Amino acid sequence: MVNRRRRRHGEAGSVDRKPLLVGAGVVAVAAGAALTVGLWPSGESGASSGGGSALAPAPSTTPSPSRTYPLSQTPRTIPAVRDHTPARGPGWRPAKGGRVVVGDKDLADEGQLLAKELKLAYGGEGEPRAGDVGLSLTDEDADAESYTLTVKDGQVRISAAAEAGVFYGTRTLKQEVHGNATAPEGVVRDSPAKPQRGFMLDIARKPFSAAWIEDRIRELGDLKYNELGLHFSDDQSFRIASDSHPEVVSEEHLTKAEVRRILALAESRHITVVPEIDSPGHLGAVIAAHPDLQLRNTQGVATRGAIDISEPAAAKIVDELLHEYADLFPGRYWHLGADEYQALTVANPASSYPQLATAAKKAYGSDAGIADLATGWLNDRADAMRGHDRVLRAWNDGFFAGGAVQADDDLQVAYWTGKEIGAREPAEYLRAGRRMLNYNDEYLYYVLGQPNAFVYPDGRRIYEQWTPLVVRGTKPVSKEYDDQILGASFAVWCDLAGSQTQDQVAAGIRMPLRALTQKLWDPRTPASSWADFKGLAEKLG
């Protein structure tokens, strides 16, 4: 796999991103909203235009000296661009003889993809001329995902400090000219509000084809998402081929060759694939091949999906799987799971599972309990993955209050629910200084079959009611924690796997994905009504 990270000024989706810099900017008021222009990769600044649609002024690619053009309107895209400086001119649309050229060989992939999509020639390295699109990298210290798109003099120039930003600029242009429309004259300056914008897919309970996953990657890339989570191990199945433990792999699974193709496509769209091997619960598929590792209570009754974490062999097999898949998945992030360990859901865990209580005291002292042993398990798995230089996250119900052992400080909280035993408000984690990703099961959980009172997410609810601050239920946390909330992820869970086909899932998540990217990209209240937004989505395909 080609190493495409050397010019990105930090990987897209990095938690170390810089805020928009407000320099010699101009503030303009449009449609009742104040827009602030800052310093962007092109180094330009100017007045902004507000809402409106990108109507095609003319098909010409070169200005006419005898014609006066109206001031251009802001392009209509999903997500909406955050700033547009209008200008007078014919705009641009792809035409015969046009090319895509790059100012740096590292942009060849972005250039070739755009040329193919717009049916233009790829001209390699060079300067754009009339009718062309030019892609370039700047030396400015700007956010890796910000970009500037300029339509002027019959050509388009997209510049950014990193490849990811250039790619997002090409996504904007692709939408601007969709359906033979014209990209409006002027300058777009754009950057996301949140650095992590994700979609998670449960392939453990329901097998999804590699082709279907690749189609979602293309869709996610065009919508400027930058993460794809793969939950591939659970009680029902283990869905990716294994060399270290082939005995745990389900009959229907992805081969490593298929995974590598998925990873290559994701990388070309600047999407990081985030794997999850959930432990110490949800390991039923592993336990099926190793029944001696099953957690059992004092009556010998097996506990569904739970591995016996007092057994050293349990840690050994999980770490061997973690190390194997760390070599397969090169991305920066890793999900450790840690939710719903069933030993902690009974009335008296110590009396039901005395072997766990004994192991906890032996490892962490006389005051330690089973929650401490589970926390120690989480920290040990984190240590295993730190050797692979990963940023680690775990579900919020894998973090326990009090106790002799605390989850490591660098573990990010994937907050999905407040329904667990001993549930804690998101603000408790945030007050402790933890960084958080929003998986709010009230808005962002698409659970097949709608069991346990789940309802398929509605794009309109996300668009009109949800913000990244709404982490649990419908109530937002304080704005003071905004920087600690790194982003959000939409999640497809396949509890009742036969309830929908792959195509039905794709159709069901279509509008929620579009609503979510809008709310993660632009922190302002959307300027368009839901009806207009939905209409735009239908128009763009």
Side-chain angles (χ1 to χ4, degrees):
M1 188 178 297
V2 178
N3 181 354
R4 296 162 49 82
R5 295 180 175 80
R6 53 196 170 123
R7 291 296 300 273
R8 292 192 190 176
H9 294 217
E11 184 175 343
S14 167
V15 298
D16 297 323
R17 67 199 301 274
K18 298 181 175 61
L20 296 180
L21 300 176
V22 179
V26 180
V27 176
V29 178
L35 305 183
T36 303
V37 178
L39 298 180
W40 300 77
S42 70
E44 301 178 25
S45 62
S48 306
S49 73
S53 60
L55 302 178
S60 171
T61 59
T62 54
S64 168
S66 60
R67 180 174 178 179
T68 301
Y69 294 93
L71 205 61
S72 63
Q73 294 183 318
T74 300
R76 299 194 65 208
T77 60
I78 298 175
V81 300
R82 293 179 64 181
D83 184 271
H84 176 250
T85 302
R88 299 183 187 278
W92 181 92
R93 68 173 57 166
K96 185 177 180 180
R99 306 172 302 156
V100 177
V101 297
V102 299
D104 190 298
K105 65 180 184 301
D106 288 342
L107 295 173
D109 289 350
E110 287 76 13
Q112 289 168 1
L113 175 62
L114 184 66
K116 180 180 179 180
E117 292 170 328
L118 300 189
K119 296 180 172 57
L120 299 174
Y122 176 65
E125 292 186 68
E127 279 293 314
R129 60 197 183 203
D132 288 353
V133 179
L135 310 181
S136 63
L137 294 171
T138 73
D139 292 328
E140 296 178 69
D141 184 18
D143 180 88
E145 295 187 310
S146 66
Y147 67 90
T148 298
L149 187 158
T150 303
V151 179
K152 183 180 180 181
D153 298 331
Q155 61 184 232
V156 180
R157 291 178 180 264
I158 299 172
S159 62
E163 295 166 56
V166 171
F167 174 72
Y168 294 138
T170 68
R171 299 307 86 192
T172 295
L173 180 63
K174 180 183 176 182
Q175 290 192 28
E176 286 181 335
V177 300
H178 179 81
N180 202 34
T182 298
E185 202 85 3
V187 182
V188 167
R189 301 174 182 86
D190 207 9
S191 186
K194 291 298 181 183
Q196 292 179 235
R197 306 175 302 281
F199 170 67
M200 195 227 75
L201 181 65
D202 171 13
I203 64 174
R205 294 180 179 90
K206 181 181 180 68
F208 289 84
S209 69
W212 190 91
I213 296 171
E214 289 167 355
D215 284 344
R216 300 289 74 70
I217 289 170
R218 296 183 184 97
E219 179 181 15
L220 294 170
D222 282 354
L223 294 172
K224 301 187 175 84
Y225 281 88
N226 61 8
E227 286 187 12
L228 168 64
L230 288 182
H231 177 92
F232 66 90
S233 170
D234 212 300
D235 295 339
Q236 293 79 3
S237 299
F238 194 103
R239 297 286 189 189
I240 296 178
S242 171
D243 299 317
S244 66
H245 288 282
E247 75 280 1
V248 308
V249 179
S250 303
E251 181 177 355
E252 195 167 3
H253 64 271
L254 296 174
T255 67
K256 287 192 174 180
E258 288 175 319
V259 171
R260 290 186 182 100
R261 288 196 295 272
I262 288 168
L263 290 168
L265 180 63
E267 186 176 33
S268 75
R269 266 59 175 182
H270 296 269
I271 292 171
T272 299
V273 178
V274 184
E276 180 192 358
I277 298 177
D278 199 349
S279 78
H282 294 284
L283 280 173
V286 172
I287 293 168
H290 295 272
D292 54 312
L293 299 179
Q294 178 104 48
L295 177 64
R296 296 179 182 274
N297 66 16
T298 52
Q299 284 76 45
V301 177
T303 303
R304 178 176 170 81
I307 205 164
D308 188 339
I309 58 176
S310 69
E311 290 288 341
K316 182 176 184 294
I317 190 172
V318 171
D319 283 351
E320 286 170 352
L321 290 168
L322 289 172
H323 291 312
E324 176 181 357
Y325 292 105
D327 289 338
L328 178 62
F329 292 94
R332 178 177 183 182
Y333 303 105
W334 193 279
H335 202 313
L336 293 167
D339 65 315
E340 297 181 322
Y341 188 49
Q342 295 301 309
L344 294 167
T345 64
V346 298
N348 191 332
S351 64
S352 295
Y353 305 101
Q355 75 274 36
L356 299 183
T358 299
K361 294 181 186 305
K362 181 179 178 181
Y364 303 111
S366 59
D367 293 333
I370 294 176
D372 295 305
L373 191 66
T375 301
W377 171 277
L378 173 59
N379 290 341
D380 288 345
R381 306 294 76 76
D383 284 343
M385 291 309 299
R386 285 193 190 93
H388 300 282
D389 193 26
R390 302 303 161 90
V391 176
L392 304 166
R393 66 186 65 157
W395 298 114
N396 63 284
D397 52 329
F399 294 77
F400 304 102
V405 184
Q406 293 298 303
D408 291 340
D409 290 341
D410 62 342
L411 293 178
Q412 296 177 357
V413 179
Y415 199 102
W416 70 282
T417 190
K419 302 180 179 71
E420 77 277 11
I421 295 173
R424 290 187 287 157
E425 293 285 347
E428 288 194 36
Y429 303 86
L430 296 166
R431 279 195 297 269
R434 290 197 184 274
R435 292 184 169 189
M436 182 175 287
L437 285 99
N438 186 332
Y439 290 78
N440 188 331
D441 63 350
E442 173 76 19
Y443 291 92
L444 308 180
Y445 260 37
Y446 192 96
V447 186
L448 266 59
Q450 304 183 103
N452 301 319
F454 282 109
V455 177
Y456 291 133
D458 177 38
R460 181 170 188 166
R461 282 192 76 213
I462 297 171
Y463 188 78
E464 295 180 344
Q465 300 175 19
W466 181 89
T467 75
L469 294 174
V470 181
V471 180
R472 170 178 170 176
T474 60
K475 181 182 176 181
V477 299
S478 170
K479 290 182 180 179
E480 68 182 292
Y481 299 122
D482 187 57
D483 288 345
Q484 288 173 244
I485 299 174
L486 303 174
S489 180
F490 192 86
V492 171
W493 293 102
C494 303
D495 291 41
L496 300 175
S499 301
Q500 290 192 335
T501 66
Q502 291 187 151
D503 289 344
Q504 287 173 323
V505 173
I509 65 178
R510 185 176 180 277
M511 286 309 300
L513 283 177
R514 282 152 179 77
L516 179 59
T517 192
Q518 175 61 42
K519 302 303 284 287
L520 291 173
W521 192 268
D522 191 338
R524 298 169 297 189
T525 300
S528 299
S529 68
W530 170 250
D532 287 345
F533 184 83
K534 188 175 180 181
L536 176 62
E538 292 170 354
K539 176 182 176 182
L540 294 176

